[in-house]
Each structure stands twice: as C-alpha cells, then as structure tokens.
Amino acid sequence: MKNYRSSRTALLYILPALLIVVCMVFLPIVLNLYNSFFRWNSFGTEKVFVGFEYYIRLFKDPVFYTALKNNGLYAIISLIFQVGLGIIIAAILEDKLIRKFQPFFRTVFFIPSVISIAVVGLLWQLLYNPEVGLVNGTLEAIGLSEWTHSWLGDSKTAIYAVVAVSQWQYTGYITMLFLIAMQKIPDEFYEAAMIDGASRIKSFFHITLPQIKEMILVGSVITVIGAFKVFDEVYVMTSGGPGRSTEVLGTMLYRSAFRNDEMGYASTIGTVIFVITLTLSLIQMKIGKTGKEV
C-alpha cells in the first residue's frame, strides 16, 4: 500500500511535465502527420483527403533530392568540424600549459553561438560580397587574386559557403560540451598513464576519448539533428538559390507553406524531416551502444 501511494505521489509530480511534453511535442507530431494526408491552405477551412499523393509528389520532385543532398552535406561536414575538430580543440584547452588561458578561449569560441542567426547570416553575406567583402579582399591582399570568387552567387560554391558559416558559429558550442566532459575525468588517470610512459597522444586515445564517449554521442546527435533542421542561415544568405542549389528541407518546407500556401505538402516535408532525424538519431545511439546522457 505504501509503494502504491509513493508511486501515485511521484506520478502527480511528473504529470504536469508529462502533459507539457505530450501537448508540445507528441501531439504536434501526430497532427502534422494527419495534415499531410489532406489538401488545405492557411486561409480556408476545407480539407480534401489526398492520401499519399503528397508523399508520391515529394519523392518524384528533383528539388527534394537536392535538398536532401545538401542536408546530408551539412551533417557530414558538421560532424567533421563541430564534433571532430571540437574534440581536438577541447583537448588542447585542457592541456596544462594552455589551461590558465582557458577562460579567454572559452569566451572567444562560445561567443559566435549566442549571436542571432539572422545577424550572422547578414554579416557573412557581406563578408562574401565579391566586390567589397573581406574574404576576397584578404585573398587579394596575400597574393591569391585568382582564388577570388562570387561565393554565394555560384551554384557550385554557394552551399559550401553557407555550411562554412555554420561551422564558424557552432563549433565553439560543441567544444564547450566536450570541455565540460573532459573536466570530469580524474587527473589520476593521466598521472597513471604518465608513470607507465604513455605519451599525450596515447592518453588522448586511450583515456580521453573512452571517458567522453557519452558526450561524443550527445554532440553527434545534436549536430546531425541540427543539420537536418537547418533553415535560418540558408534563408538569410541565399533563400535556397542560386537556382535552388542551396535548397535544404527547411527552406523547401517554408517555400511550400508560406509562399505557395500548400500546407498539406509542407506537412509532408515536415514529417519526412522528423522521420529522417529520428532514424539517424536511433542509428547513432545504436552504434554508440550507449545513450545514458541523451
């Protein structure tokens, strides 16, 4: 009887948070899936059932595969820089010789992640300007004039230019997560390794990486989900152009919903984004064989 009362009391405490999660997360997902089977618009009340018509249309649309490729590119490059480079930077900042300067570098690396994405997009749009931008200006100043380019105006380079901005903005944030995880590793582990004659590189691979594997998983999941949810920087810098070469699933959804007023089609794209991010997250957790901190 006592255990029953304890369980009921615990449930009462959990219930408010559970209701919020259900109403703000699970219910919108179900409603979005439901709406994807209907033709409707934001200014009317009539809904026409179309079944899987929008899904068939989406998978036949070549722009969808361009967007999917760009999101995949985002994810791969982000894993390399935000996760891979982030681990290396965090390890360097945790080195005893650099540790006393750590507060300064933490601030420098973290500042970009708290700047408004719209501001960052406009800033880098100016930096990439082929006439007055700092990027081409720097290349000319160091004698690499042949490398100057219309970075956002060329369909071959535009997506890479936009992806580079995301790495500049978010690598510092992921680095801070790894730094926090590394600071939890007992110093005794490294002292024992030093006594055994292990180099810093060996200590990194045999002590640091295994001890922060939970945070590596968390950082990877955050990065991949962010790569498939990306919208703001692409919309601000290129709006999916030139020639829809930088289209991502987020801008494709926005275009369908708020420019073409095809809310059912937009719901379909939203459902696909959810399925992709959920699947990739589960795969990452399965590969990591962990997930206690996720």
Side-chain angles (χ1 to χ4, degrees):
M1 188 70 176
K2 187 177 180 181
N3 289 336
Y4 172 74
R5 288 179 178 177
S6 299
S7 300
R8 188 172 62 178
T9 302
L11 182 61
L12 288 174
Y13 280 108
I14 295 172
L15 191 59
L18 185 62
L19 288 174
I20 292 173
V21 171
V22 170
C23 293
M24 303 300 292
V25 178
F26 295 108
L27 183 60
I29 290 173
V30 173
L31 288 176
N32 186 76
L33 176 62
Y34 172 79
N35 288 330
S36 68
F37 295 110
F38 293 86
R39 182 185 296 113
W40 59 286
N41 60 67
S42 56
F43 299 103
T45 58
E46 183 183 1
K47 286 187 175 182
V48 179
F49 180 75
V50 295
F52 289 95
E53 178 184 321
Y54 284 139
Y55 288 93
I56 296 171
R57 172 184 164 186
L58 180 65
F59 290 117
K60 287 184 177 180
D61 189 349
V63 177
F64 167 70
Y65 294 101
T66 299
L68 195 60
K69 182 191 71 174
N70 288 336
N71 281 111
L73 190 65
Y74 246 101
I76 293 170
I77 295 177
S78 296
L79 284 172
I80 293 172
F81 284 92
Q82 293 180 32
V83 178
L85 184 61
I87 292 173
I88 295 172
I89 294 173
I92 293 172
L93 293 179
E94 265 299 284
D95 188 270
K96 291 183 179 180
L97 297 176
I98 308 294
R99 196 174 293 175
K100 60 182 178 180
F101 303 108
Q102 194 181 104
F104 169 76
F105 287 109
R106 282 206 310 260
T107 303
V108 170
F109 285 125
F110 191 71
I111 281 176
S113 66
V114 298
I115 302 175
S116 167
I117 296 178
V119 173
V120 169
L122 292 172
L123 170 65
W124 278 91
Q125 196 176 45
L126 180 61
L127 293 175
Y128 281 133
N129 187 289
E131 300 297 329
V132 298
L134 185 62
V135 174
N136 281 352
T138 302
L139 291 173
E140 290 177 355
I142 61 177
L144 296 174
S145 300
E146 67 276 9
W147 286 21
T148 58
H149 198 72
S150 178
W151 301 101
L152 296 177
D154 187 342
S155 59
K156 294 180 180 179
T157 60
I159 185 62
Y160 295 100
V162 176
V163 172
V165 174
S166 293
Q167 310 320 305
W168 171 83
Q169 185 171 19
Y170 293 115
T171 297
Y173 172 75
I174 299 298
T175 298
M176 293 305 105
L177 296 181
F178 293 139
L179 197 58
I180 293 169
M182 289 178 186
Q183 289 173 347
K184 294 179 180 179
I185 303 174
D187 290 334
E188 290 80 4
F189 289 3
Y190 295 103
E191 292 170 1
M194 189 180 298
I195 293 172
D196 290 339
S199 64
R200 291 183 180 180
I201 295 177
K202 283 187 177 180
S203 296
F204 173 76
F205 283 104
H206 294 285
I207 297 175
T208 305
L209 289 183
Q211 289 295 315
I212 65 168
K213 62 181 181 180
E214 296 285 349
M215 191 57 74
I216 292 175
L217 174 65
V218 172
S220 299
V221 171
I222 290 173
T223 300
V224 169
I225 291 176
F228 278 90
K229 287 171 56 184
V230 66
F231 166 75
D232 303 71
E233 48 265 65
V234 178
Y235 184 76
V236 172
M237 295 178 70
T238 65
S239 296
R244 307 193 78 173
S245 61
T246 59
E247 197 83 74
V248 291
L249 293 173
T251 56
M252 191 177 178
L253 185 153
Y254 178 87
R255 190 187 303 275
S256 300
F258 301 108
R259 288 191 179 180
N260 302 337
D261 198 21
E262 295 183 293
M263 305 305 289
Y265 190 51
S267 297
T268 301
I269 299 172
T271 300
V272 170
I273 294 174
F274 169 73
V275 171
I276 291 173
T277 54
L278 177 63
T279 302
L280 291 175
S281 298
L282 292 175
I283 291 173
Q284 285 179 300
M285 294 173 67
K286 182 67 175 177
I287 292 174
K289 295 180 180 178
T290 182
K292 297 175 183 177
E293 295 183 11
V294 179

